[in-house]
Amino acid sequence: MRSFRNIRHTLAGALVITSGTVFAAASSPNVAPSAPHMEVVAEWNRLPYDLGDAQAEQAYDSNQTYKKVLLQGVKVDSKGTMYVSTARWGGPDVPATLSKLVHKNGRWELQPFPSAAMNKVGDRQALQSVLGFEIDRNDVMWILDQGHIAGQPSAQGAEKLVLWDLKADREIQRYEFNDADSDKKCSFLNDVVVDNDRGFAYITDSGIFCDHLHGGLIVYDQKHNRAHRVLDQTVFTTDEADFHFRIDNEAVLSKTPMRTGADGIALSGDKRTLYWTNLSGHTLYSLDTALLRDFDSSESTLRTAVKRVASLPSNTDGMIADRKGNLYMTALELNGLMFRDAKTGAISTYAIHPEMAWPDTLSWSPDGSLYVVSGHLNKWVDNAMDFDNPAVPNFRIWKVQANGRSYTAK
């Protein structure tokens, strides 16, 4: 987050991985007896890469580059293949920022996706630092490249949205964000949701890389390959005053409170409502997408139309809707997931477990389950992650029973 500019790289580590570990929901007065089934499908102490080059893989280990790599996002395609993002917050030597998980030598490894060449640092055609991405109902991956490497200003053309057809294995469209869309010094392009019905995407910009937060939303029109920025540096896209939060009874960032603007984002199943939150806050906001799709809507009109939907029991980093419009939101302060009922608006805890530390991105799988990354981001940004003990799983991918369908479905 805002502290990424000052991240130190003095960690050390080892690898541990399991598959299919099953967890019962933690005992808590906030969790209903019918809490959903949860299991860990992959876990690591450090992230291993399948680079197709034994020498490069050896250098990755011997140079301890794994200290700089953090697991952030997971998405699942129609065949059940998992893809993960590892934004280059730790520096340019992170081997790949977007990868496909492949099972090799009895463990899950990260294979650069779509290719090693498409992950080359310094090549404006390639992916520089991917955090948020989405796979739509057509198996098209919408890849959001934040551009920034280790918090440095983005190079020309680095901040972009790339559409990659997984079935054809080729790029089908891209859009490079101009200076009116995003600030190449301050912006932090965070997450993206997709409306296949109308050909639009909605993006959160957390705006963390300047002394003041530069948060906002970006609306992308696929048909005309254009975008525009809205709610720039407003109360709706910045942090809440004096917000502090704790994970596992420890303050996040020991020296300076974390400040982050627009972050989690979700699109309702009927595509009529956009929801989002600021990481440094508890408020769930919404806005009518018809207004957002109309590029002639004035800022004053949009600001007046924003609704404060609810005050959440925890701040959230990732969120997603099902086809019925129910919301699933990560709950950082509760170590789990929250749920908002589309019919009643009631918000409750959904799946809680003490080992789901910093749940980040959510993804629908073909069988109607949710996949969730938990990555101890709070420890990573404070240089407190333990890479020495193979028994310590720093990064996990959870599978949580949900019995839903993706918001992108027809």
Side-chain angles (χ1 to χ4, degrees), residues 12-15 46-49 51 54-67 95 107 109:
L15 168 70
R46 72 171 72 149
L47 295 171
Y49 278 92
L51 300 175
Q55 186 174 358
E57 291 169 6
Q58 176 60 38
Y60 174 75
D61 285 330
S62 60
N63 295 335
Q64 300 184 345
T65 305
Y66 51 79
K67 300 174 184 179
R107 66 180 187 177
E109 298 185 357

Coordinates of all heavy atoms in Angstrom, one line a residue, residues 12-15 46-49 51 54-67 95 107 109:
A12 N 14.2 -14.1 4.4 CA 14.8 -15.4 4.0 C 13.7 -16.4 4.0 O 12.6 -16.2 4.7 CB 15.9 -15.8 4.9
G13 N 13.8 -17.5 3.3 CA 12.7 -18.4 3.2 C 12.9 -19.8 2.8 O 14.0 -20.2 2.4
A14 N 11.9 -20.6 2.8 CA 11.8 -22.0 2.3 C 10.4 -22.3 1.8 O 9.5 -21.5 2.0 CB 12.3 -23.0 3.4
L15 N 10.2 -23.5 1.3 CA 9.0 -23.8 0.6 C 8.3 -24.9 1.3 O 8.9 -25.9 1.7 CB 9.2 -24.2 -0.9 CG 8.1 -24.8 -1.6 CD1 7.0 -23.8 -1.8 CD2 8.5 -25.4 -2.9
R46 N 7.3 -20.0 0.4 CA 7.8 -19.1 -0.6 C 7.3 -19.6 -1.9 O 6.9 -20.7 -2.1 CB 9.3 -19.1 -0.6 CG 10.0 -20.3 -1.2 CD 11.4 -20.2 -1.4 NE 12.2 -20.2 -0.2 CZ 13.4 -20.7 -0.1 NH1 14.0 -21.3 -1.2 NH2 14.1 -20.7 1.0
L47 N 7.2 -18.7 -2.9 CA 6.6 -19.0 -4.2 C 7.6 -19.5 -5.2 O 8.6 -18.9 -5.5 CB 5.9 -17.8 -4.7 CG 4.7 -17.3 -3.9 CD1 4.2 -15.9 -4.4 CD2 3.5 -18.3 -3.9
P48 N 7.4 -20.7 -5.7 CA 8.3 -21.3 -6.7 C 7.8 -21.1 -8.1 O 6.6 -21.1 -8.4 CB 8.2 -22.8 -6.4 CG 6.8 -23.0 -5.9 CD 6.3 -21.7 -5.3
Y49 N 8.8 -20.8 -9.0 CA 8.5 -20.5 -10.4 C 8.9 -21.7 -11.3 O 10.0 -22.3 -11.1 CB 9.1 -19.3 -10.9 CG 8.4 -18.0 -10.6 CD1 8.6 -17.3 -9.4 CD2 7.4 -17.5 -11.4 CE1 7.9 -16.1 -9.1 CE2 6.7 -16.3 -11.1 CZ 7.0 -15.7 -10.0 OH 6.3 -14.5 -9.7
L51 N 10.2 -21.7 -14.7 CA 10.6 -20.8 -15.7 C 11.1 -21.5 -17.0 O 11.5 -20.8 -17.9 CB 11.8 -19.9 -15.1 CG 11.4 -19.1 -13.9 CD1 12.6 -18.4 -13.3 CD2 10.3 -18.1 -14.2
A54 N 16.6 -24.1 -16.0 CA 17.1 -24.5 -14.7 C 18.1 -23.5 -14.1 O 18.1 -23.3 -12.9 CB 17.9 -25.8 -14.9
Q55 N 18.8 -22.8 -15.0 CA 19.8 -21.8 -14.5 C 19.0 -20.6 -13.9 O 19.4 -20.1 -12.8 CB 20.7 -21.3 -15.6 CG 21.8 -20.4 -15.1 CD 22.8 -20.0 -16.3 OE1 22.7 -20.5 -17.4 NE2 23.8 -19.2 -16.0
A56 N 18.0 -20.1 -14.5 CA 17.2 -19.0 -14.0 C 16.5 -19.4 -12.7 O 16.4 -18.6 -11.8 CB 16.1 -18.6 -15.0
E57 N 16.0 -20.6 -12.6 CA 15.3 -21.1 -11.4 C 16.3 -21.2 -10.3 O 16.0 -20.9 -9.1 CB 14.7 -22.4 -11.7 CG 13.5 -22.3 -12.6 CD 13.0 -23.7 -13.1 OE1 13.5 -24.7 -12.6 OE2 12.1 -23.7 -13.9
Q58 N 17.6 -21.6 -10.6 CA 18.6 -21.7 -9.5 C 19.0 -20.3 -9.0 O 19.1 -20.1 -7.8 CB 19.9 -22.4 -10.1 CG 21.0 -22.4 -9.1 CD 20.7 -23.1 -7.8 OE1 20.0 -24.2 -7.8 NE2 21.2 -22.6 -6.7
A59 N 19.1 -19.3 -10.0 CA 19.4 -18.0 -9.6 C 18.3 -17.4 -8.7 O 18.5 -16.6 -7.8 CB 19.6 -17.1 -10.9
Y60 N 17.0 -17.7 -9.1 CA 15.9 -17.2 -8.3 C 16.0 -17.6 -6.8 O 15.8 -16.9 -5.9 CB 14.6 -17.8 -8.9 CG 13.3 -17.5 -8.1 CD1 12.8 -16.2 -8.1 CD2 12.7 -18.5 -7.3 CE1 11.6 -16.0 -7.4 CE2 11.5 -18.3 -6.6 CZ 11.0 -17.0 -6.7 OH 9.8 -16.7 -6.0
D61 N 16.5 -18.9 -6.6 CA 16.7 -19.4 -5.2 C 17.9 -18.8 -4.6 O 17.9 -18.3 -3.5 CB 16.7 -20.9 -5.2 CG 15.4 -21.5 -5.4 OD1 14.4 -20.9 -5.0 OD2 15.3 -22.6 -6.0
S62 N 19.1 -18.9 -5.3 CA 20.3 -18.5 -4.7 C 20.4 -17.0 -4.4 O 21.0 -16.6 -3.5 CB 21.5 -18.9 -5.6 OG 21.4 -18.3 -6.9
N63 N 19.7 -16.2 -5.2 CA 19.7 -14.8 -5.0 C 18.6 -14.4 -4.0 O 18.4 -13.2 -3.8 CB 19.5 -14.0 -6.3 CG 20.6 -14.2 -7.3 OD1 21.8 -14.4 -6.9 ND2 20.4 -14.1 -8.6
Q64 N 17.8 -15.3 -3.6 CA 16.7 -15.1 -2.6 C 15.7 -14.1 -3.2 O 15.2 -13.3 -2.4 CB 17.3 -14.7 -1.3 CG 18.2 -15.7 -0.6 CD 18.7 -15.3 0.7 OE1 18.6 -14.2 1.2 NE2 19.2 -16.3 1.5
T65 N 15.5 -14.2 -4.4 CA 14.5 -13.3 -5.0 C 13.1 -13.6 -4.5 O 12.3 -12.6 -4.5 CB 14.5 -13.5 -6.6 OG1 15.8 -13.3 -7.1 CG2 13.6 -12.5 -7.3
Y66 N 12.8 -14.7 -4.0 CA 11.5 -15.1 -3.5 C 11.1 -14.2 -2.3 O 10.0 -14.1 -2.0 CB 11.5 -16.5 -3.0 CG 12.7 -16.9 -2.1 CD1 12.7 -16.6 -0.8 CD2 13.8 -17.6 -2.6 CE1 13.7 -16.9 0.1 CE2 14.8 -18.0 -1.8 CZ 14.8 -17.6 -0.4 OH 15.8 -18.0 0.4
K67 N 12.1 -13.5 -1.7 CA 11.8 -12.6 -0.6 C 10.9 -11.4 -1.1 O 10.3 -10.7 -0.3 CB 13.1 -12.0 0.0 CG 14.0 -13.0 0.5 CD 15.3 -12.2 0.9 CE 16.4 -13.2 1.4 NZ 17.6 -12.5 1.8
P95 N 10.3 -12.7 -11.3 CA 10.3 -13.4 -12.6 C 9.1 -13.1 -13.5 O 9.3 -13.0 -14.7 CB 10.5 -14.9 -12.3 CG 11.0 -14.9 -10.9 CD 10.5 -13.7 -10.2
R107 N 4.2 -30.5 -6.7 CA 3.9 -29.2 -6.1 C 3.3 -28.3 -7.1 O 3.6 -28.4 -8.3 CB 5.1 -28.6 -5.4 CG 6.2 -28.2 -6.4 CD 7.4 -27.5 -5.7 NE 8.4 -27.0 -6.6 CZ 9.5 -26.4 -6.2 NH1 9.7 -26.2 -4.9 NH2 10.3 -25.9 -7.1
E109 N 3.5 -24.8 -9.0 CA 4.5 -23.8 -9.4 C 3.9 -22.8 -10.3 O 2.9 -23.0 -10.9 CB 5.7 -24.5 -10.1 CG 6.4 -25.5 -9.2 CD 7.7 -26.0 -9.8 OE1 8.0 -25.6 -11.0 OE2 8.4 -26.8 -9.2

